[in-house]
Amino acid sequence: MYSVNVDGQRSRTETVHVESWEKFQAYIEALDDESGRKAWDELWFRGQSDAEWRLQTTLERRTSQLRAVSAYLNRIGEIKPTIETFTERAFELPEPMEVESTCRQYDGFDFWLRRSATYLAHLRHCGFPSPLLDWSRSPYVAAYFALARAKPDGNAAIFAYRERANTAGFKVSGSDAPQIVSFGPILKTHRRHFRQQSRYTACVKWEDSQWYFEPHDSVFGQRDKLQQDYLWKITIPGTERLKVMSFLDKFNLNDFTLFDSEEALLEMLAMRVIDMRDGRG
């Protein structure tokens, strides 16, 4: 694993273990120092309850048969009428012929893919297998997702991602190299997008004259001087769970405020009247 200083100027990856919630806050405060950064140069965060889990999309976890971008977009096109009927909303998604032709063009593909971002983000928030990794602008939202269901005998992980550390604000990629495309924050999509301060990334690669989805690790694992796509992984003991849940709940950050459903309301109440009272780890 490469070594990185706090401003991310030596390499793309770093793993840091903090022993307490207080040390996590101090580390994040230093890492997310916005002085001198442009408005578009944000730090995004993602929480995972098991530090041993890879940074994978839900689509990667579900199947390896939908790598081609065109295949996935056509598959979600099949279910679009059902989703629109249930939600009473209309979502933009190119027709199959346009999908096939555009996914076989190199130039402008990332801008074209963003046309479907509203629909893709909606599906991601509702649990359909997605090629998107979802992030939050808030390290505290990410910490909640990391620790809410963390096991006391293990470590949780909060990832921090900085897409564009260069002063120009653009990204560079080779024609045959995997690249990360980002979406957000301005999207007209599911309400959870705004509750969770969501951002999204997809990793794609031009291969055999068409676009495919690739694991994000194929980008984060590289090392160069492009000053882009930096990743930090901060691990924290699961024993800090109740301390963190109590701290965040005082700021009204809990399952209900993040998900806004009856099931989330009951989870919030269970956390308050069972876990926090009985000291369950």
Side-chain angles (χ1 to χ4, degrees):
M1 191 65 67
Y2 300 131
S3 174
V4 187
N5 55 14
V6 166
D7 65 7
Q9 297 303 305
R10 294 182 187 170
S11 72
R12 293 189 182 188
T13 58
E14 178 185 18
T15 298
V16 173
H17 181 72
V18 295
E19 299 168 350
S20 67
W21 173 242
E22 292 76 16
K23 290 185 177 180
F24 170 80
Q25 289 180 285
Y27 185 85
I28 289 298
E29 183 177 350
L31 187 66
D32 200 20
D33 181 6
E34 296 182 349
S35 59
R37 298 220 316 257
K38 304 293 184 181
W40 40 258
D41 184 12
E42 293 186 334
L43 205 61
W44 300 352
F45 302 90
R46 174 179 173 84
Q48 296 188 171
S49 58
D50 191 329
E52 299 300 317
W53 292 346
R54 291 181 56 196
L55 198 59
Q56 288 183 307
T57 66
T58 53
L59 181 63
E60 288 175 289
R61 296 175 194 166
R62 188 67 173 251
T63 180
S64 60
Q65 303 303 309
L66 285 176
R67 279 194 61 232
V69 176
S70 59
Y72 180 79
L73 292 182
N74 284 329
R75 200 71 61 90
I76 64 174
E78 293 179 22
I79 67 171
K80 183 169 170 282
T82 305
I83 302 300
E84 291 180 329
T85 300
F86 184 81
T87 61
E88 298 182 339
R89 291 185 55 190
F91 295 98
E92 182 178 3
L93 187 70
E95 295 297 323
M97 289 187 63
E98 185 183 358
V99 167
E100 290 295 337
S101 63
T102 308
C103 287
R104 295 181 183 278
Q105 298 174 19
Y106 183 83
D107 293 329
F109 169 78
D110 54 340
F111 296 101
W112 175 85
L113 185 61
R114 289 188 178 94
R115 285 177 52 191
S116 307
T118 292
Y119 185 39
L120 289 169
H122 181 91
L123 293 179
R124 176 64 190 88
H125 278 290
C126 292
F128 190 83
S130 173
L132 303 183
L133 277 183
D134 52 330
W135 306 79
S136 174
R137 180 63 185 89
S138 168
Y140 298 103
V141 170
Y144 184 88
F145 280 111
L147 287 159
R149 291 161 183 81
K151 296 180 179 179
D153 59 348
N155 293 319
I158 298 96
F159 292 88
Y161 171 54
R162 188 177 180 187
E163 184 180 22
R164 294 172 290 176
N166 61 72
T167 57
F170 58 81
K171 297 179 69 175
V172 178
S173 178
S175 60
D176 60 346
Q179 53 189 278
I180 291 177
V181 180
S182 63
F183 307 86
I186 302 174
L187 288 178
K188 186 179 180 181
T189 188
H190 200 285
R191 290 182 298 180
R192 292 175 184 172
H193 168 82
F194 306 98
R195 289 176 174 272
Q196 299 173 15
Q197 301 185 47
S198 296
R199 314 289 194 265
Y200 314 91
T201 57
C203 186
V204 294
K205 183 181 180 181
W206 178 253
E207 181 181 314
D208 297 330
S209 300
Q210 67 172 309
W211 287 99
Y212 289 89
F213 292 118
E214 283 286 300
H216 281 66
D217 285 348
S218 62
V219 172
F220 296 137
Q222 299 177 16
R223 189 180 190 184
D224 58 27
K225 299 179 181 180
L226 295 178
Q227 296 184 322
Q228 63 188 35
D229 296 322
Y230 292 109
L231 184 74
W232 294 263
K233 179 180 180 181
I234 306 104
T235 62
I236 183 171
T239 50
E240 293 291 279
R241 173 178 175 264
L242 288 182
K243 179 201 294 184
V244 176
M245 295 299 99
S246 178
F247 175 88
L248 296 176
D249 194 43
K250 291 175 183 177
F251 293 90
N252 203 28
L253 202 168
N254 49 56
D255 252 52
F256 182 58
T257 58
L258 291 174
F259 290 99
D260 189 28
S261 68
E262 184 175 0
E263 292 81 3
L265 174 64
L266 292 174
E267 177 59 33
M268 177 196 73
L269 295 174
M271 180 73 70
R272 288 178 176 174
V273 304
I274 297 177
D275 293 6
M276 293 181 183
R277 288 188 189 177
D278 298 342
R280 292 179 59 196

